[in-house]
Amino acid sequence: MFSIGGLSKKTKVKIPTIRYYEEAGLLAAPERTNGNQRRYDQAGLERLSFIKHARELGFSIEAILSLIELQEHPDRSCDEATAIATAQLSDVRAKIKKLRSLEKELKRISDCCDGSGLSEDCNVLTALADHTLCIHPSHG
Amino acid sequence: MFSIGGLSKKTKVKIPTIRYYEEAGLLAAPERTNGNQRRYDQAGLERLSFIKHARELGFSIEAILSLIELQEHPDRSCDEATAIATAQLSDVRAKIKKLRSLEKELKRISDCCDGSGLSEDCNVLTALADHTLCIHPSHG
DNA sequence: TGTAATGTCTCTAGTAACTAGAGGTTCAAG
DNA sequence: CTTGAACCTCTAGTTACTAGAGACATTACA
C-alpha cells in the first residue's frame, strides 16, 4: 500500500494528474485511510502505468476509457481494441504527413533570411504574410 | 468594407474565431457601423490572412503576437522573426521525431493482433499494459 | 414603409488534459 | 506532543477556440 505521492514517484505521473484520472473514471477510486487519504495497491499501480503508456502513445482519455472497459470485459471481442489502436496509428501518420509539409515550408522561410537586416525587409515576415508563396497549401 | 461574415467567407476563418483574435490582440479592432457591427477593410483582411497562415504553420498565438509587433516596428532587426521561425522549425522536427517512434510502436501493437480473438487474449491490450514490451521508451 | 429573414452583437460556458493555488487536515518522525 | 511534510477538496487558470442565449441590426422584398 502506498500513498498518492508514492504512486506518483513510481509512475512519474504528477499527483494532480492522478486525481484527475480518478475523477475522469480512468483510475478506480482507491481505499482511503481513516484520515481520508488515498492508499493504492499493486493493481492501482498497474492501471496507472497502462494509462500513462497509452497517453504517451497519444491515445485520448476517451480512447483509454474504451480500452479499459475492454480489459474489464474479457469476454468481448478484441476487434474494438484493435480498431482503436489502428485509428490511433492512422491519426499519427496523418500528423506526421502534415508536419513534414510544415517542416518544408518553415525551412524555406527560415533559410531565405540571414537575420542580419531590418525587419522591414524580413523574408520571414514576407513569407508569412504572403500565403501565395507557399509551396503547397498547408492544410490537409 | 465588409462585414465579419464576409471576412469569414473570404478567409475561411470562423466568425467567433475572428472575434477571438481581436480579443487576443492579434487583430486590430475594426470600424463599427452605427449599429455597432464590425466593418473590415483590406488591411484587416491581410492581417487575418497572415494570422491564419501562421496558425496553420503551428505558430502559437503568442508567437504570432511577437511577429505582428515586429511588423509594426520595421526599424527593429529581423533576428527575432528568424528566431521565432527557427524555433518553430525545431519544434516541428521534434514532433515528427516523436511521432515516428510512436508510429513504430503502434504498428507493432496493431500488427500482432488480427482482431479475431477475445479481448482476454488481446495483444493490443497486453502491449499497452506492459510498458517493457516497448521497443524504445516513448518520450523524448 | 413594413416585415421577415438573416446577420451580428455581447456574454457566458464548454472543450481536452491537465496545472496551480488556497486554506485546511492528516501522517510520520522524533 | 509537536513539527513539518504530505495530503485533502475546491476553484480557477491554461490554449485556442466553439457553441449557445437573448437581444439588436441590416437587407431584401412587397
Side-chain angles (χ1 to χ4, degrees):
Chain A
M1 293 304 244
F2 27 88
S3 67
I4 196 166
L7 185 63
S8 173
K9 259 173 206 154
K10 277 179 215 286
T11 57
K12 276 156 200 163
V13 173
K14 285 176 193 154
I15 291 173
T17 305
I18 296 173
R19 292 197 274 246
Y20 170 76
Y21 287 159
E22 182 182 323
E23 169 74 21
L26 291 184
L27 205 51
E31 283 179 50
R32 300 276 184 138
T33 61
N34 289 337
N36 200 35
Q37 297 194 359
R38 292 167 179 85
R39 285 299 175 269
Y40 296 90
D41 58 7
Q42 192 60 24
L45 172 64
E46 277 160 24
R47 165 64 55 88
L48 183 56
S49 301
F50 174 93
I51 295 166
K52 193 200 177 194
H53 189 192
R55 287 293 301 134
E56 282 171 352
L57 289 169
F59 289 86
S60 68
I61 298 289
E62 221 189 318
I64 298 172
L65 261 173
S66 311
L67 290 171
I68 284 171
E69 260 180 52
L70 277 175
Q71 283 186 308
E72 284 170 353
H73 300 278
D75 52 312
R76 282 201 220 148
S77 161
C78 81
D79 275 13
E80 224 175 299
T82 309
I84 292 169
T86 307
Q88 184 58 26
L89 179 56
S90 41
D91 197 67
V92 164
R93 282 179 176 156
K95 276 181 190 156
I96 289 174
K97 203 176 158 189
K98 187 168 183 181
L99 284 172
R100 283 225 190 95
S101 89
L102 296 191
E103 186 195 8
K104 248 185 231 159
E105 198 183 346
L106 281 168
K107 189 168 154 31
R108 184 179 56 76
I109 288 172
S110 302
D111 282 0
C112 68
C113 184
D114 62 2
S116 63
L118 295 180
S119 67
E120 194 173 8
D121 314 304
C122 183
N123 284 318
V124 173
L125 295 175
T126 312
L128 281 170
D130 190 355
H131 194 65
T132 64
L133 292 175
C134 290
I135 301 167
H136 296 297
S138 53
H139 59 86
Chain B
M1 291 307 244
F2 26 88
S3 67
I4 196 167
L7 186 63
S8 172
K9 259 173 206 154
K10 277 177 214 284
T11 57
K12 276 157 198 164
V13 174
K14 284 176 192 152
I15 292 173
T17 306
I18 295 174
R19 292 199 273 247
Y20 170 76
Y21 287 159
E22 182 182 324
E23 167 75 22
L26 290 183
L27 204 50
E31 281 179 51
R32 300 278 182 136
T33 63
N34 289 337
N36 200 33
Q37 297 194 357
R38 292 169 178 84
R39 287 298 175 270
Y40 296 90
D41 58 6
Q42 191 61 25
L45 173 63
E46 276 161 25
R47 166 62 57 86
L48 183 55
S49 302
F50 174 93
I51 295 167
K52 192 199 178 196
H53 190 192
R55 286 293 301 135
E56 282 170 352
L57 288 170
F59 288 86
S60 69
I61 298 288
E62 220 190 319
I64 297 172
L65 260 174
S66 310
L67 290 170
I68 284 172
E69 260 179 52
L70 276 175
Q71 282 188 306
E72 284 170 353
H73 298 279
D75 51 311
R76 283 201 220 149
S77 161
C78 81
D79 276 14
E80 224 174 298
T82 309
I84 292 169
T86 307
Q88 186 57 27
L89 179 57
S90 41
D91 198 67
V92 164
R93 283 181 174 155
K95 277 183 190 153
I96 289 173
K97 202 176 159 189
K98 184 166 183 182
L99 284 172
R100 283 225 190 96
S101 89
L102 296 191
E103 187 195 7
K104 249 186 228 158
E105 197 182 349
L106 281 168
K107 189 166 154 33
R108 183 179 56 76
I109 288 172
S110 302
D111 282 0
C112 68
C113 183
D114 62 4
S116 62
L118 295 178
S119 68
E120 194 172 11
D121 315 305
C122 182
N123 282 320
V124 173
L125 295 175
T126 312
L128 281 169
D130 190 354
H131 193 67
T132 64
L133 294 174
C134 290
I135 301 166
H136 296 296
S138 53
H139 59 87

